[in-house]
Amino acid sequence: QVQLVESGGGSVQAGGSLRLSCAASGYTYDRKFMGWFRQAPGKEREGVAAIYSGGDNTYYADSVKGRFTISQDNAKNTMYLLMNSLKPEDTAMYYCASSTSTWLAAGWLNGAGFNYWGQGTQVTVSS
C-alpha cells in the first residue's frame, strides 16, 4: 500500500507560479511511474504530467507543455510539479498518483495504469 499526500496548492493571479509537492510513504519500492492529474468542477479528471521513477523520462499534456515541469527526489520519496505562467483554466483540484506498471499506459492521461491516488490540493488562478 502506498500513501500519497499533496501540498503546495493555493490561490495565485494569472501569470504567477506555484510548486506542488507529493510525498509518498508506505510500500514505495515497486512504484514505476508517478503522475499529476487535475479535475476542475464539472469536468473530467485529466492527466497533466508523469515521470518515470527510475530515470528522468517525463511526459506532459499538450495544455501544460512549456509551462509545467515535473520532477522528483527519490531520496525523499517526493515528486514536484512546478507550474509557471498559470492561467485561469488551470484552476482545479490537483492529485498525485502512483503506478506500479512497468510501462506508461497509452491512456495515462485518463488515469489508466495508476493504482494509488492522493486526496488532492486545490489550485485557484484568478484573472
Side-chain angles (χ1 to χ4, degrees):
Q1 193 78 351
V2 175
Q3 293 78 44
L4 302 170
V5 179
E6 305 93 337
S7 62
S11 296
V12 65
Q13 288 192 327
S17 299
L18 282 173
R19 190 179 80 155
L20 306 183
S21 299
C22 172
S25 61
Y27 192 78
T28 61
Y29 301 103
D30 60 350
R31 77 177 189 275
K32 299 298 189 295
F33 289 91
M34 298 285 289
W36 286 100
F37 296 79
R38 66 187 182 187
Q39 187 168 20
K43 294 188 177 182
E44 294 188 355
R45 182 185 62 198
E46 62 177 358
V48 174
I51 187 166
Y52 175 55
S53 298
D56 295 328
N57 290 15
T58 56
Y59 310 82
Y60 295 94
D62 289 342
S63 59
V64 304
K65 280 181 182 176
R67 300 189 299 122
F68 290 11
T69 303
I70 189 171
S71 62
Q72 62 190 351
D73 184 336
N74 285 332
K76 296 181 178 179
N77 283 332
T78 301
M79 176 181 64
Y80 306 97
L81 184 69
L82 175 61
M83 305 184 294
N84 293 324
S85 302
L86 282 162
K87 305 175 181 180
E89 50 263 44
D90 294 318
T91 294
M93 184 71 78
Y94 282 72
Y95 301 90
C96 71
S98 175
S99 170
T100 55
S101 296
T102 54
W103 59 85
L104 192 62
W108 78 268
L109 287 170
N110 296 319
F114 285 86
N115 318 80
Y116 302 101
W117 295 81
Q119 294 300 307
T121 186
Q122 178 67 38
V123 172
T124 302
V125 184
S126 58
S127 57

